[in-house]
Amino acid sequence: MSTEKQTIRDIMIPLTGFPCLKESSTVQEAIQQLRSFCPVGSSGPCGFNELMVVNDRGGLIGRVTQQGILKVLFSTLLDPAGIKPFEGRTLEYSDLSTLLNGVLIKEGVNHLKAGLSSVIEKEIRVLPVSADLIQAMSIMVLGGETVLPVEEHGVLCGVVKLAEIFGAIGDTLLSINNKP
């Protein structure tokens, strides 16, 4: 099939095939969803590194990523504003993270019940289902995106992965090149 005729609708992953939570969910629920979500009919490991967040009407609120969750869970370590830099290593304290391990894990546990509002990326690009593959590819590559939400009439209906766009465009290029 030619990419000129294909749109995002043709290759997108429907919302049932991608992790999604309501905005009232917690950080703990997001971790569980990212670790365990596997679309019906899939086999093998299905780990995801982001999920979409929707309101009660199915409208997109934003996305939550593994990086965003880790930044909230371990904010003391990953956003050390006001903490003096570590100025040396000694035999007893060769690795500062080992020293802080127990403290950091306790800090992470304390944030599990937090609402998703602290980890939602709200200003994300959304593609319409009618976008053609070249347009979507350029938006994703220039924006450094690997997954983008897809909407139809203001309602989240799925996501598109850059890998799927790459596959469809690659198949078209190879088939054109292989024609006698």
Side-chain angles (χ1 to χ4, degrees):
M1 183 184 287
S2 164
T3 58
E4 293 90 29
K5 296 177 185 176
Q6 279 188 303
T7 64
I8 293 304
R9 180 188 309 274
D10 300 320
I11 64 168
M12 73 175 193
I13 299 168
L15 203 52
T16 56
F18 197 82
C20 189
L21 286 175
K22 299 281 186 193
E23 62 185 319
S24 59
S25 301
T26 65
V27 171
Q28 179 173 334
E29 291 169 316
I31 292 169
Q32 290 168 331
Q33 183 78 324
L34 287 171
R35 300 273 301 135
S36 65
F37 180 84
C38 208
V40 174
S42 296
S43 61
C46 295
F48 288 85
N49 48 1
E50 65 184 78
L51 58 83
M52 297 297 151
V53 181
V54 296
N55 61 25
D56 292 333
R57 296 178 313 282
L60 178 69
I61 301 297
R63 73 174 156 207
V64 171
T65 64
Q66 289 174 344
Q67 294 91 340
I69 291 172
L70 291 171
K71 284 178 184 175
V72 166
L73 292 177
F74 303 107
S75 58
T76 303
L77 179 65
L78 299 174
D79 187 20
I83 297 175
K84 288 178 63 175
F86 184 59
E87 295 178 358
R89 294 166 65 136
T90 66
L91 186 56
E92 298 93 339
Y93 306 110
S94 60
D95 187 353
L96 187 57
S97 64
T98 302
L99 273 175
L100 295 174
N101 190 32
V103 173
L104 291 173
I105 293 299
K106 286 178 185 171
E107 177 187 354
V109 169
N110 290 335
H111 291 290
L112 288 177
K113 299 296 182 196
L116 284 184
S117 61
S118 59
V119 295
I120 296 174
E121 293 176 23
K122 293 186 177 185
E123 301 298 320
I124 60 172
R125 188 80 187 242
V126 178
L127 295 173
V129 292
S130 60
D132 67 60
L133 298 187
I134 300 297
Q135 176 189 16
M137 178 272 305
S138 66
I139 289 168
M140 293 179 82
V141 169
L142 293 173
E145 300 285 355
T146 57
V147 176
L148 281 179
V150 178
E151 284 185 339
E152 185 170 35
H153 307 297
V155 176
L156 181 65
C157 58
V159 300
V160 65
K161 290 183 171 185
L162 186 58
E164 300 300 323
I165 294 172
F166 178 81
I169 292 173
D171 288 349
T172 299
L173 294 172
L174 293 173
S175 70
I176 291 169
N177 191 50
N178 290 333
K179 286 185 180 176

